[in-house]
Amino acid sequence: MYSISEEDYLGTIYRYRDDSGEIKANVIADKMEISNAAVTDMLKKLAKRKLVFYAPYKPVRFTKRGEELAGQLIRRHRIWEIFLHRIIGMPWEKVHDEAERLEHNASDDLINRMEEMLNFPEYDPHGASPETY
Ligand SMILES: [Zn+2]
C-alpha cells in the first residue's frame, strides 16, 4: 500500500510531466506548493519503491510500475469527479478537492461499479471541463 502523500506525488507527476515523460523536481514543488527539499525526500522514497527513476539535478520519470500505478490513481480520481458532478450535482470547480479525499479510500469494486453506472466515461488525466463528457 502507498500513503496518501505518495499517491498525490504520483498523480502530480502524471499530470504535469512533459511529452517525453519527464518532469523537474522544482515543477513538482511548484504544483504541490511544497519545498524542494520535501520533494527530493519523497522522490528518493519513490525511487526506492521502484516507482520513479531519480538522480540529483536530473528530471524525474516513471518506471513502468510507477506509470501504471499513477494511471490507475488518475482513473479513480476522474471517476469520482464525474460521479460527484453528474450524479450528485456538485459544481465542477468543487469536485477536484472532494475527489482528492475520496480517491484514496474507495475499493476497486466500488470504482468499477461507479464507472459502469456512469457508462464508462472518457476521462482526461490533465483535467478537462465537464463539457468534454
Ligand atoms: Zn481533479
Side-chain angles (χ1 to χ4, degrees), residues 97-123:
D97 289 346
E98 203 69 53
E100 288 273 286
R101 289 192 284 273
L102 293 163
E103 67 193 19
H104 303 288
N105 296 314
S107 68
D108 289 341
D109 184 42
L110 174 58
I111 294 291
N112 290 338
R113 286 167 188 265
M114 284 166 66
E115 187 175 38
E116 195 182 337
M117 183 184 182
L118 294 167
N119 221 348
F120 304 96
E122 298 281 317
Y123 64 92

Side-chain angles (χ1 to χ4, degrees), residues 15 77-78 81 96:
R15 287 187 181 93
H77 179 85
R78 298 303 287 174
E81 286 187 335
H96 177 83

Side-chain angles (χ1 to χ4, degrees), residues 8-36:
D8 287 341
Y9 273 83
L10 295 175
T12 300
I13 295 168
Y14 196 96
R15 287 187 181 93
Y16 297 109
R17 62 198 172 145
D18 64 23
D19 291 340
S20 67
E22 296 189 330
I23 185 168
K24 291 188 179 127
N26 67 302
V27 175
I28 301 172
D30 279 356
K31 297 294 179 192
M32 296 183 74
E33 298 179 354
I34 46 181
S35 70
N36 284 312

Side-chain angles (χ1 to χ4, degrees), residues 18-72:
D18 64 23
D19 291 340
S20 67
E22 296 189 330
I23 185 168
K24 291 188 179 127
N26 67 302
V27 175
I28 301 172
D30 279 356
K31 297 294 179 192
M32 296 183 74
E33 298 179 354
I34 46 181
S35 70
N36 284 312
V39 171
T40 302
D41 284 350
M42 179 55 88
L43 291 175
K44 286 179 183 164
K45 205 166 153 188
L46 294 175
K48 214 176 261 176
R49 304 193 80 161
K50 308 229 181 319
L51 297 172
V52 299
F53 296 110
Y54 169 76
Y57 310 109
K58 289 267 170 64
V60 183
R61 56 186 311 128
F62 280 127
T63 61
K64 193 167 183 294
R65 181 164 154 229
E67 171 141 21
E68 278 172 14
L69 181 62
Q72 287 165 21

